[in-house]
Amino acid sequence: MWLTSSSVGRKFVMALTGAALVLFITFHCLMNSVAILWPSAYNAVCEFLGANWYALVASAGLALLIVIHIIYACWLTLQNRAARGFERYAVTQRPAGVEWASQNMLVLGVLVLAFLGVHLVQFWAKMQLMEVLGIEGEFPAAAGTLFIEAAFSNWLTPAIYAIGFIALWMHMNHGFWSMFQSVGWDNTTWIPRLRCIGKCWVGIVMILFFIQIGVFTYNAQRNYYSTDPVLVEQYAEMAATEQIVNPADGMAPCMTTCQDACDACPNNK
């Protein structure tokens, strides 16, 4: 099959999976932006997704895309190195017009993968995975803002995310236009345009991500997500079926019934 037997086919697969991942990252960025403007709506989105079949299918599809993208990236890298042989050691300077990212996509990819691992541990493993396994977690699975507060209360988190986003920025900036080159849009007219479109698109997405880092860290440090009356009332509603937390006790699990949660709501004081 030409998708695996030829270099062109493998690059085509890389382009398709890369395009799908760019779209997902854009969606994920927009979804997280909701938490900045309307935290309670962000929790509603988390509840809508949760462990529902469509979210699970999307998660499985995303995981498959990532695995395929990684496999083909390693495959193409090894293929290129084998083709160049010892010649690659003779080059000590980057050729003019060649981006640093284009020669270090695998390194950037490894950094992005490590960042993804941290992100999955902090959020997906404690939210959707716990819900799928039927395990009661520290917070209700749909209380996304509480997970944000727990993660960004640690000053190490924004530093890790900043490094991860910088690597992702560089990886996507080159990958955006090169995926079009891989499918045949390789000409002097379209490549410059695609470079510009790619830089603008990726730039907007990454700027939003960095704004999220700042807002989430600021709100987490002042315990906004665990003390805001609107959010506390929302957590009380979640307590009907899941264990809830008492914000006044430093987010320690303590309430197991909806009535307990409602009694703790400031609106009922």
Side-chain angles (χ1 to χ4, degrees), residues 65-198:
L65 287 173
I66 292 174
V67 170
I68 293 175
H69 196 75
I70 292 172
I71 291 174
Y72 273 74
C74 295
W75 195 351
L76 286 169
T77 299
L78 293 174
Q79 173 187 298
N80 291 337
R81 290 189 175 185
R84 292 177 60 188
F86 290 102
E87 290 182 7
R88 67 179 185 274
Y89 298 110
V91 180
T92 57
Q93 294 184 342
R94 187 169 72 251
V98 177
E99 299 175 346
W100 180 88
S102 68
Q103 294 187 315
N104 296 274
M105 288 294 280
L106 186 62
V107 174
L108 292 172
V110 171
L111 289 175
V112 171
L113 187 61
F115 163 62
L116 176 62
V118 173
H119 185 65
L120 290 177
V121 169
Q122 288 184 322
F123 292 94
W124 177 79
K126 297 179 180 179
M127 297 174 71
Q128 189 181 70
L129 181 60
M130 297 291 277
E131 192 173 354
V132 170
L133 297 177
I135 301 175
E136 189 176 83
E138 184 180 6
F139 311 127
T145 47
L146 286 179
F147 289 99
I148 289 175
E149 183 163 304
F152 284 87
S153 293
N154 186 338
W155 283 102
L156 190 60
T157 296
I160 293 175
Y161 274 61
I163 295 172
F165 284 141
I166 290 173
L168 182 60
W169 193 334
M170 298 178 71
H171 191 80
M172 288 179 59
N173 213 28
H174 173 76
F176 186 96
W177 66 266
S178 64
M179 66 185 179
F180 288 99
Q181 186 180 50
S182 298
V183 297
W185 287 19
D186 185 11
N187 57 69
T188 56
T189 300
W190 275 102
I191 288 299
R193 294 176 181 175
L194 292 172
R195 282 178 183 266
C196 181
I197 294 172

Side-chain angles (χ1 to χ4, degrees), residues 191-222:
I191 288 299
R193 294 176 181 175
L194 292 172
R195 282 178 183 266
C196 181
I197 294 172
K199 287 182 178 180
C200 292
W201 185 333
V202 176
I204 292 172
V205 169
M206 291 303 154
I207 288 172
L208 286 175
F209 272 136
F210 276 97
I211 292 175
Q212 290 164 20
I213 291 176
V215 173
F216 293 164
T217 302
Y218 173 73
N219 286 338
Q221 294 300 318
R222 62 192 184 101

